[in-house]
């Protein structure tokens, strides 16, 4: 097949594909607030949530963020996104459970973080709410799953919410509109590379 | 078991876990530029790359972005991140192959985008380079895979690079330090929801 034939076949194949893609796009007409869950063990859950914060800021949206586990406030995401007009950024964590080694304290910390989240989930002025690492508090039983799921289900209809963390529960996946499961195929940390600014923090 | 016992057991278990986590962190001492590949069919590949751009800006890093497929310049990511000091943002695409339906034009477009990427990959002043949707140009054979892999392998040693797109090749995965495969468990688009500002664009 010569180059001209190859190009002509390509054009015909792509015209057919475009008709199918256009039909799918035409069928997707709803606009509403989405619940997006980013789970799995791989890198890219919180990072992706922060990418949505950046996109939202590009559209002039008001954004609320609650970081449930993280305790450090020297991260790149907070230094940059957390100080933008239109963003309310809350680092409510105490570190991981193995850092605190104190279950009662962890539960109190979880409840303080959840109070902020619950306020945002009942306020339609927040157009995007990020609940970073929320899944851990559900897995550990530090928050009541029914209370959390009810608040998510009853939030303002146009509000987008992104929940991140490993091992999202079946009930959370069921409630969500979009769920990505991020598999850890390879991670530099296991090859001896420390967490790097700009990439991991 | 009463609450005090439960808390004590938790503390002991977490102390053991912390020892293991601390040992892993102590073993990870390298600092070098990482090649991160975000692939798979789920939502969160480009978004995660943009989250790393935000993190990098929080650390005052210089960032280069090339979007290889996307043609629109009205996205939230470009409106917000693309206009930050320290960011060079290039939308080099013409849309998907089924939009252009013109293979020769797609190849010329790919080569123009790659020339920008190759310049960044040979300039150590770029501390993070995002090559968004690069994998498609390799899958289609629009760029020479050996040329691309050589440029990635020979880039400045402290430069981080993020490559996104479905179906990353085995050779690219092999070269990468961190690879996340993002599975599409559920997507609002299939339930009739259109692409939404702040989430998808």
């Amino acid at each position: 097949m010569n180059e001209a034939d190859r190009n002509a076949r390509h054009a015909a194949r792509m015209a057919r594909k475009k008709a199918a893609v256009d039909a799918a796009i035409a069928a997707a007409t709803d606009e509403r607030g989405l619940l997006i869950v980013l789970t799995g063990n791989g890198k890219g859950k919180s990072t992706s949530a922060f990418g949505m914060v950046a996109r939202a800021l590009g559209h002039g949206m008001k954004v609320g963020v609650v970081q449930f586990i993280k305790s450090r406030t020297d991260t790149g995401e907070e230094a940059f996104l957390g100080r933008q007009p239109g963003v309310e950024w809350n680092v409510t964590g105490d570190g991981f459970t193995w850092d605190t080694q104190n279950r009662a304290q962890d539960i109190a910390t979880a409840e303080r973080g959840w109070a902020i989240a619950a306020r945002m989930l009942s306020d339609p002025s927040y157009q995007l709410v990020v609940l970073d690492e929320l899944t851990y508090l559900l897995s550990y039983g530090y928050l009541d799953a029914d209370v959390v799921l009810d608040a998510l289900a009853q939030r303002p209809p146009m509000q987008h919410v992104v929940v991140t963390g490993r091992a999202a529960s079946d009930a959370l996946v069921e409630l969500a509109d979009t769920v990505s499961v991020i598999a850890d195929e390879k991670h530099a940390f296991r090859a001896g590379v420390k967490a790097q600014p700009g990439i991991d923090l």
Side-chain angles (χ1 to χ4, degrees), chain A residues 101-126:
Chain A
Q101 301 174 27
N102 186 326
R103 193 170 158 274
Q105 177 187 326
D106 287 351
I107 292 172
T109 302
E111 285 169 354
R112 275 198 303 277
W114 176 249
I116 298 170
R119 171 176 57 76
M120 291 174 170
L121 293 174
S122 61
D123 179 349
S125 76
Y126 293 93

Side-chain angles (χ1 to χ4, degrees), chain A residues 39-76:
Chain A
T39 191
N41 297 346
K43 175 183 177 46
K45 299 181 291 294
S46 298
T47 336
S48 182
F50 303 145
M52 284 183 264
V53 172
R55 278 186 165 149
L57 291 173
H59 294 285
M61 294 161 72
K62 180 176 169 182
V63 178
V65 176
V66 183
Q67 293 192 282
F68 282 98
I69 299 286
K70 198 160 282 181
S71 58
R72 62 193 296 176
T73 58
D74 60 345
T75 59

Side-chain angles (χ1 to χ4, degrees), chain A residues 106-152:
Chain A
D106 287 351
I107 292 172
T109 302
E111 285 169 354
R112 275 198 303 277
W114 176 249
I116 298 170
R119 171 176 57 76
M120 291 174 170
L121 293 174
S122 61
D123 179 349
S125 76
Y126 293 93
Q127 294 165 281
L128 171 65
V129 176
V130 174
L131 305 178
D132 188 35
E133 303 185 315
L134 174 65
T135 61
Y136 302 105
L137 308 192
L138 298 171
S139 305
Y140 300 153
Y142 290 173
L143 294 176
D144 183 322
D146 288 336
V147 169
V148 169
L149 292 169
D150 282 353
L152 290 170

